[in-house]
Amino acid sequence: MANKGKFFKSAFKNIKPLDFIIIALVLAAGVVFCFKSAKEVSGGDLVQVQTSKGTYEYALNADGDFTVEGELGKTTIHIENRKVCILDSPCPNKTCVNQGWGTTLVCLPNKVMVTVIQKESDFDAVAQ
């Protein structure tokens, strides 16, 4: 137990006050980035669903349940409040269902990929 105290004293002996400030800034930036990316789940206009049977698109503001056919059977996708999740799938381990809300959701066994995308525009850029 006494060795732990010596270890921490020797580990922090060479750290200067500026080092603590830099470490705190990096940690704060990481926390801000995590919260910002968690809030931006719905960063697009369309939900694109790619399966082995075809590609489907749904409006991100069209709340409801949508069913698509995959390799193993039907996968149900739920859209609500501009967010998307997979409700049900015939895959054995249900990892895709446990992913929760997201911008990219994948069910590998059923070969279904759900992606939130931007609607294509006629303009590449706007100039003033």
Side-chain angles (χ1 to χ4, degrees), residues 1-10:
M1 217 25 116
N3 289 339
K4 280 188 179 181
K6 289 181 183 178
F7 172 76
F8 285 116
K9 282 183 182 180
S10 64

Side-chain angles (χ1 to χ4, degrees), residues 58-123:
Y58 304 100
L60 193 57
N61 59 4
D63 291 354
D65 296 340
F66 304 93
T67 303
V68 295
E69 189 73 31
E71 276 300 300
L72 302 175
K74 295 181 180 182
T75 296
T76 304
I77 296 148
H78 181 70
I79 301 173
E80 181 181 336
N81 296 328
R82 298 189 53 80
K83 298 185 293 184
V84 63
C85 69
I86 296 177
L87 279 184
D88 190 38
S89 191
C91 58
N93 57 8
K94 306 289 185 201
T95 303
C96 57
V97 176
N98 294 326
Q99 289 178 72
W101 303 98
T103 56
T104 303
L105 306 167
V106 180
C107 180
L108 288 177
N110 202 24
K111 297 185 180 172
V112 173
M113 185 168 84
V114 179
T115 311
V116 176
I117 61 171
Q118 275 302 112
K119 193 181 337 180
E120 289 186 20
S121 173
D122 292 338
F123 302 104

Side-chain angles (χ1 to χ4, degrees), residues 33-54:
F33 177 75
C34 286
F35 281 114
K36 184 176 178 349
S37 64
K39 286 200 295 190
E40 292 179 357
V41 170
S42 58
D45 299 316
L46 296 173
V47 175
Q48 184 180 61
V49 183
Q50 297 175 338
T51 72
S52 58
K53 314 266 184 193

